[in-house]
Amino acid sequence: MPGPVRRLCHRTAGAVAVGWVVLSAAVSFAQPIGPAGIAAAGAELPVGLEPFFVTGSLIKRTDYEGPSPIKTIPRSEIQRVAGTGLADVLGVLPEATNLAINENTANSDTRGATALDLRSLGPANTLVLVDGRRQAPNGIAADGVTFVDINRFPLAMIERVEVLKDGAAAIYGADATAGVVNIILRKDYTGTEISGRYGNYFRTDGGEKSWSLLTGARRGRFRGALGITHAARNAIAAKDLPFSADADQTDIWRAIDPVKYAAKLLPVANGRSFFDLRSGSGPYATVFVPAVAQLAHPSNGLTPAAILNPLTGITATFLPGTGGVPQGTLGRGNNRASVPRENNPGMPTAAQFVERAYPAGPLSNSYNFQEMVWSTSAMARLGLSANLECALAPSVDLKLGVSWTRQETDTRLAPPPIFTLADNAILVPANNYYNPFGILVGFGYRSLEVGPRIVTVASDSLGLNAVVKGTLQPRFEWELGWAFSANETADTQTNLRESKVRAALAKTTPDALNIFGGPAFRNNPATIESLKVNSTRAGDAQIGLADFRITTLDLFSWPMGKVGASAAVEHRLERFNVTNDELSSVSDDIIGVSPAAAATRSRRDVQSVSGELRFPLVREKGLAWLRAAELNTAARFERFSDGYDSGLKPYVGLRFQPAPGLLLRATYGKVFRAPSLPQLYGGTIDQFLSLLPDLRRPDALTGDSADAAGSPRLVRTGGNPRLRPEDGTTRQAGVVWDVPGRMLKGLTLEVTYGIIEQKGLIRGSLGSDFILRNELTSTGDLVLREPGTATFTNRTGGPIGVLAGADGTTRSIAPGESVSVPGRITSILDAALNLSDQIVRYYDYGMRHRWKSERWGRFTVSSDWTYYGYYAFRRRSTDQPLTSVGRSIPRYRGQSSLGWEREKWSANVGFHYTHRYRDLNADGWEVGRYYTFSAGLGYSFGKDFVLRGARLSIGVDNLLDREPPADRGGSGAGYDQGFVGRPAGRFGSLLLRQSF
């Protein structure tokens, strides 16, 4: 089917869907269906008195609400989500502050993967389990931080997801500081189920499609299930979205508030506004006379004699011939020369060069890199799973499982820029065939002929498990388990090879690389192809574990009732290997890409023992003023072969029911996080970064080019074997109230207040800019300088700012005033390190109301919100805490839903909200609030229809077609990809599921 016809069909079907949904929503309530409609309140929970396991405890219980709050997302809700991965289900949870690591972030080390981050403590503090056991992290870490890619688990294979919203180190060990996500896979299934889903945007083509097949059977003592699932998504180009098409966002922010942002909307020294994020390197090259430091760079090893002006015989100060004079008038300092704007023949003379300029439009020296960038990556995922259960004896069962997922993502970036400043001081030789100046030339340039950088990420995940379960007398249940999981990820990107660029620039023949011709000139295609190279960053991770668990509801009896207990021992082996290719990690021969760590292999063993007790505090029939009460206690100890242990991590939980329908609960626990293997043993990376001016030695004051922003700085990153583990404390207190009264029957209100405190917080990187801005307070030991001091006098006509305090605070040095400054920067250490502490205070609010009408069916109303009262960290205990609430972290997020079901029909309306927040560092802009509505309608076909037993669902996300709020962000994307999963507006979907 031709593309325009296909898109027309998509949009027509979507319009019909919208009309149907709006009509049904106008006359009825709705049942949750899309990302904005997930509500744990409406989950189908176990009923009756049969004991069952709940995430957060190894002791069965007969009630769902324990001391720690849990949110369950059952399969019925997962099926209604119009998405391709688990990130679409979990990313909208109010407790999941931001998916900063997500599969659509093109400029990152972890492309193609998504990490869940509860409470904004970082994904390393959220423990991800499958069927109660740990999973191997992604094969490529994010700045040393390991995480589990939640999209590796196909939605069709998931029975339910349980989210424990409390620290759980006493039960599950390290990393469970912010909470636990337990993914329960589908196993006990009989019959066959086939499903297919298609969805697309109303305004652009970002189509998503998926299908799945699950079949299961039972024969005597055996029961098995086999599943296969596939999902795919089309890419969306940034240029197809009005808010991300141009990296110059000046007009967007002017429309938001021209008064508030008046100063930042004005052009600054380089001719661009604060909101103009276009690159200074484009197809109209800028050229200049090289600085001494660039000539003397080890890659060049030259002296000023190398830039003698052939027209005057003396050292060139400006580019010879510019301005029509032998000594030249352009090409020094900020007065750089630019390729002529007119359609020149590709070999302009020196006199034709003009002063660089940054106006809007195609003739600017600024380049809109968004024209080749993809905002949403293309994706394809294939998953296979198989489970087998066998009754070995009347009281002993064997369970075997295997799963495999292959995920591939594809995205695009703009062609790589080539800078003299950043890429080892590359220069155009004087005898380059197209060089009109007769001297070595420094430059900034981007060849559009190269085409976009192509990024492909391939990720393979494997899971194996074997569990033998049985009973020991009627009172005890035991379980012997073994599990292995692994992930291997390879990120391959096309780039330019530095040595090839130098060789092409050095040619004296017409096939030389010509940077002077502008976009109208066409280089020799063979020359362009010779510059390209593929480089791969890759890694793999494995976790193998064996454990033994035993539990009972009746360890012994005491006056208040039976005491429950559990105990567990575990041994696990963790491996993390970095397998970056030599081109990426050793040769440092790629344009515009920081060198990767050299190949490393790391492993460790972990042994743990844990126990849990549950004491009833009142008799089974209760008291008149206390219906039920229990005390839950747990403790765990872990020992790591890295040379440290967790210490004994306790947990205490109290649960009181002073009256029917009223539950009071509180918890206290110690938590623990071990440094990741990459944080401990990751290879050291030495890289030279620009745009890092010496704030204590401004070049305007010293006149030293080594202090300027353009001077390359040696920044060292990598592992730190001296890291200490994190320790922390979690506290929670909450109320759950089933409101009494006939009119309000079925209404439940919930409030939880929590505090998380962490000591020795592990931070993979503070960032070189942050380190320099805070050198006088918390990061002085990370900036290495030449010994001694020097005194300089301000000989300019205006004041010069010199760093004087925290976070870039400066002291103004007036003209004629002198000041003493330290020696030059020799290097910056930005490896993993321990901070002093971090504290988070939050409130969770929940409401759900379920009722049934004989005439109108069943109704559900639910709403869940998270409010951050405080969030701050500091490097040292004497530092002022740096708060983030309202600054990079929205103060609150929420989701609500209305639902309706009657016989074969169901419908829904959902709502998702993220509050506004400001830039963390400079309060330079504010990201507006963002909210979306979703709606849907479902119908089950009867036996008299050809698709008897089939279920058809249609849904619309972002019903009001809202654009994401503008976010300067620094990436040029125009919006925050961590908060906005679907950026292109209204999205319609159709799901058909058939069961046999």
Side-chain angles (χ1 to χ4, degrees):
M1 183 182 297
V5 176
R6 184 182 69 250
R7 287 191 291 271
L8 178 62
C9 293
H10 294 167
R11 293 169 183 173
T12 303
V16 173
V18 170
W20 194 359
V21 169
V22 171
L23 178 63
S24 65
V27 297
S28 66
F29 291 99
Q31 174 76 10
I33 191 169
I38 299 172
E44 295 296 331
L45 304 178
V47 295
L49 299 178
E50 186 67 25
F52 55 90
F53 286 110
V54 176
T55 300
S57 176
L58 298 183
I59 306 175
K60 288 184 176 181
R61 59 184 314 118
T62 57
D63 42 40
Y64 180 75
E65 296 287 2
S68 295
I70 295 175
K71 176 175 291 187
T72 295
I73 306 172
R75 172 138 191 87
S76 58
E77 299 296 337
I78 295 173
Q79 288 177 325
R80 293 169 182 152
V81 172
T84 58
L86 193 54
D88 297 311
V89 178
L90 300 180
V92 297
L93 297 178
E95 301 84 2
T97 310
N98 189 317
L99 298 181
I101 299 174
N102 65 81
E103 60 184 351
N104 292 320
T105 304
N107 283 307
S108 75
D109 292 334
T110 54
R111 294 176 287 213
T114 301
L116 187 65
D117 183 359
L118 296 178
R119 309 296 184 194
S120 198
L121 296 182
N125 285 294
T126 298
L127 181 61
V128 177
L129 310 174
V130 171
D131 292 331
R133 288 178 170 85
R134 289 174 178 262
Q135 295 298 291
N138 195 60
I140 297 179
D143 195 21
V145 175
T146 56
F147 64 92
V148 175
D149 178 13
I150 57 177
N151 280 337
R152 76 167 70 154
F153 311 107
L155 290 179
M157 299 297 112
I158 298 175
E159 180 64 31
R160 67 182 183 277
V161 179
E162 296 179 350
V163 181
L164 177 68
K165 302 188 293 181
D166 195 4
I171 303 298
Y172 299 111
D175 309 333
T177 300
V180 177
V181 176
N182 191 10
I183 301 168
I184 311 299
L185 300 180
R186 301 180 73 179
K187 294 178 286 291
D188 186 7
Y189 185 81
T190 302
T192 299
E193 178 186 280
I194 301 175
S195 67
R197 187 186 69 86
Y198 180 80
N200 210 337
Y201 294 95
F202 281 55
R203 291 189 294 166
T204 191
D205 184 10
E208 300 177 3
K209 55 187 177 182
S210 62
W211 58 264
S212 66
L213 168 66
L214 178 67
T215 183
R218 182 195 299 264
R219 293 290 185 273
R221 295 182 300 141
F222 294 92
R223 181 170 58 195
L226 178 67
I228 180 172
T229 179
H230 179 268
R233 179 186 62 231
N234 295 339
I236 299 177
K239 65 182 181 181
D240 293 337
L241 305 177
F243 50 85
S244 65
D246 196 338
D248 182 2
Q249 302 173 15
T250 305
D251 290 341
I252 293 176
W253 288 90
R254 181 179 289 114
I256 292 174
D257 195 329
V259 176
K260 179 178 180 179
Y261 300 119
K264 296 184 179 295
L265 293 169
L266 298 174
V268 292
N270 61 7
R272 294 179 288 176
S273 82
F274 175 78
F275 295 109
D276 187 350
L277 302 180
R278 291 177 296 168
S279 171
S281 178
Y284 289 99
T286 57
V287 293
F288 54 90
V289 178
V292 173
Q294 294 155 2
L295 292 170
H297 191 281
S299 298
N300 298 318
L302 302 173
T303 67
I307 53 173
L308 290 179
N309 185 332
L311 302 179
T312 64
I314 62 176
T315 300
T317 303
F318 295 97
L319 293 173
T322 54
V325 296
Q327 67 271 23
T329 59
L330 297 174
R332 173 61 76 189
N334 288 324
N335 190 26
R336 296 189 176 183
S338 172
V339 169
R341 299 298 195 275
E342 65 269 14
N343 190 2
N344 64 78
M347 296 182 65
T349 65
Q352 289 179 293
F353 278 74
V354 296
E355 187 172 355
R356 64 175 177 176
Y358 299 94
L363 301 183
S364 173
N365 281 115
S366 292
Y367 171 65
N368 175 29
F369 51 83
Q370 289 292 90
E371 67 182 13
M372 292 192 186
V373 171
W374 285 359
S375 288
T376 299
S377 61
M379 180 276 298
R381 183 186 303 119
L382 176 66
L384 302 172
S385 68
N387 295 280
L388 176 65
E389 297 185 19
C390 174
L392 300 179
S395 60
V396 179
D397 293 328
L398 170 66
K399 297 184 178 182
L400 303 174
V402 58
S403 63
W404 174 82
T405 304
R406 169 77 172 187
Q407 180 170 288
E408 297 179 352
T409 56
D410 184 12
T411 193
R412 299 290 185 271
L413 296 171
I418 310 173
F419 291 106
T420 290
L421 298 179
D423 287 285
N424 297 323
I426 299 177
L427 301 174
V428 180
N431 59 351
N432 172 279
Y433 182 81
Y434 298 97
N435 188 343
F437 304 111
I439 67 168
L440 285 163
V441 174
F443 67 99
Y445 170 66
R446 190 188 304 255
S447 171
L448 302 189
E449 298 173 81
V450 170
R453 281 172 281 182
I454 300 173
V455 179
T456 57
V457 182
S459 179
D460 290 284
S461 300
L462 175 67
L464 304 170
N465 64 83
V467 177
V468 180
K469 305 175 66 174
T471 58
L472 186 63
Q473 300 179 349
R475 295 167 53 190
F476 293 92
E477 296 183 18
W478 59 269
E479 180 176 306
L480 179 63
W482 172 85
F484 174 83
S485 61
N487 175 264
E488 182 176 350
T489 299
D491 182 314
T492 301
Q493 176 175 313
T494 59
N495 264 300
L496 301 183
R497 191 163 186 173
E498 181 184 315
S499 58
K500 298 293 186 181
V501 171
R502 287 183 182 273
L505 289 172
K507 290 184 177 182
T508 60
T509 53
D511 61 341
L513 177 62
N514 180 11
I515 71 163
F516 306 102
F521 179 81
R522 291 294 178 265
N523 279 278
N524 187 317
T527 299
I528 295 298
E529 286 302 314
S530 72
L531 309 179
K532 297 180 181 180
V533 66
N534 287 334
S535 60
T536 300
R537 299 191 178 196
D540 60 86
Q542 303 98 36
I543 286 184
L545 63 85
D547 57 25
F548 178 76
R549 305 172 180 179
I550 187 168
T551 182
T552 179
L553 293 174
D554 184 14
L555 180 64
F556 62 87
S557 296
W558 75 324
M560 303 304 162
K562 297 178 180 180
V563 175
S566 72
V569 293
E570 177 185 284
H571 174 86
R572 69 176 183 269
L573 172 63
E574 301 178 356
R575 290 190 177 95
F576 195 96
N577 303 319
V578 175
T579 57
N580 301 324
D581 64 8
E582 185 174 344
L583 186 63
S584 300
S585 57
V586 178
S587 61
D588 188 19
D589 194 20
I590 303 176
I591 295 288
V593 176
S594 300
T600 59
R601 302 183 69 85
S602 56
R603 57 159 287 170
R604 67 180 170 206
D605 294 275
V606 185
Q607 290 86 31
S608 65
V609 58
S610 63
E612 186 179 359
L613 293 172
R614 180 183 300 152
F615 296 90
L617 300 180
V618 297
R619 292 184 179 276
E620 185 175 345
K621 295 183 179 180
L623 303 173
W625 51 271
L626 186 60
R627 305 290 298 180
E630 68 180 36
L631 169 67
N632 292 258
T633 63
R636 185 182 180 103
F637 177 85
E638 287 188 296
R639 184 181 298 279
F640 292 74
S641 60
D642 304 300
Y644 51 81
D645 58 58
S646 66
L648 190 65
K649 296 303 174 190
Y651 165 89
V652 178
L654 292 171
R655 181 181 182 277
F656 295 95
Q657 277 189 276
L662 180 62
L663 172 65
L664 307 178
R665 58 189 178 193
T667 65
Y668 171 89
K670 290 289 187 178
V671 290
F672 167 77
R673 184 168 84 85
S676 71
L677 289 173
Q679 287 173 336
L680 284 170
Y681 309 117
T684 299
I685 304 173
D686 287 351
Q687 54 186 317
F688 287 91
L689 302 181
S690 295
L691 302 179
L692 293 172
D694 191 335
L695 303 180
R696 298 181 67 187
R697 290 175 51 101
D699 61 316
L701 176 69
T702 66
D704 189 343
S705 61
D707 301 325
S711 180
R713 306 260 180 243
L714 174 59
V715 179
R716 290 183 165 170
T717 61
N720 179 3
R722 296 187 299 273
L723 281 177
R724 306 182 311 274
E726 290 178 2
D727 278 299
T729 303
T730 63
R731 303 178 182 89
Q732 278 194 355
V735 179
V736 181
W737 184 32
D738 294 330
V739 181
R742 182 176 181 182
M743 296 296 296
L744 297 177
K745 183 179 180 181
L747 174 62
T748 300
L749 304 176
E750 180 179 347
V751 178
T752 300
Y753 170 64
I755 302 175
I756 302 174
E757 294 178 309
Q758 294 170 283
K759 302 290 185 182
L761 182 72
I762 301 171
R763 188 70 173 261
S765 170
L766 291 175
S768 301
D769 180 66
F770 178 89
I771 291 172
L772 291 179
R773 286 190 290 105
N774 292 276
E775 183 184 354
L776 292 179
T777 52
S778 60
T779 61
D781 58 326
L782 304 179
V783 182
L784 304 185
R785 294 181 174 273
E786 295 176 349
T789 60
T791 300
F792 293 92
T793 301
N794 181 359
R795 302 192 184 282
T796 70
I800 299 175
V802 176
L803 185 68
D807 201 21
T809 303
T810 60
R811 169 192 167 194
S812 183
I813 307 300
E817 184 180 354
S818 299
V819 63
S820 179
V821 299
R824 294 187 184 97
I825 295 174
T826 58
S827 63
I828 300 172
L829 301 178
D830 196 15
L833 74 167
N834 290 98
L835 303 183
S836 174
D837 52 42
Q838 178 170 268
I839 183 170
V840 180
R841 300 191 187 105
Y842 59 88
Y843 298 83
D844 291 338
Y845 303 93
M847 180 274 289
R848 54 186 179 270
H849 193 189
R850 306 177 68 183
W851 73 97
K852 183 178 181 180
S853 167
E854 293 295 333
R855 181 177 181 182
W856 299 106
R858 293 178 295 174
F859 296 87
T860 301
V861 179
S862 67
S863 187
D864 293 283
W865 295 77
T866 291
Y867 175 89
Y868 283 93
Y870 185 76
Y871 186 116
F873 75 91
R874 53 188 174 183
R875 170 87 197 282
R876 295 192 176 103
S877 58
T878 55
D879 294 341
Q880 185 70 20
L882 298 174
T883 182
S884 302
V885 174
R887 307 176 66 192
S888 79
I889 295 179
R891 190 165 290 277
Y892 53 90
R893 295 186 78 196
Q895 60 180 21
S896 303
S897 67
L898 302 174
W900 166 77
E901 291 183 5
R902 184 175 185 272
E903 296 178 351
K904 301 177 181 180
W905 292 91
S906 67
N908 81 344
V909 174
F911 173 71
H912 176 240
Y913 179 87
T914 298
H915 198 50
R916 62 180 181 270
Y917 57 95
R918 304 191 309 271
D919 165 43
L920 174 61
N921 295 322
D923 291 339
W925 72 92
E926 181 177 87
V927 180
R929 62 181 182 173
Y930 182 58
Y931 60 89
T932 60
F933 289 91
S934 65
L937 186 68
Y939 179 78
S940 296
F941 293 98
K943 296 181 179 180
D944 55 345
F945 188 70
V946 63
L947 295 176
R948 60 182 181 180
R951 175 77 177 175
L952 178 66
S953 302
I954 60 173
V956 180
D957 284 347
N958 198 352
L959 193 62
L960 302 183
D961 200 24
R962 290 181 55 84
E963 291 185 353
D967 185 353
R968 181 182 183 275
S971 66
Y975 67 99
D976 192 329
Q977 293 174 305
F979 285 120
V980 181
R982 285 205 181 98
R986 187 180 295 118
F987 183 93
S989 63
L990 178 69
L991 169 68
L992 179 63
R993 186 176 70 254
Q994 175 73 64
S995 298
F996 303 95

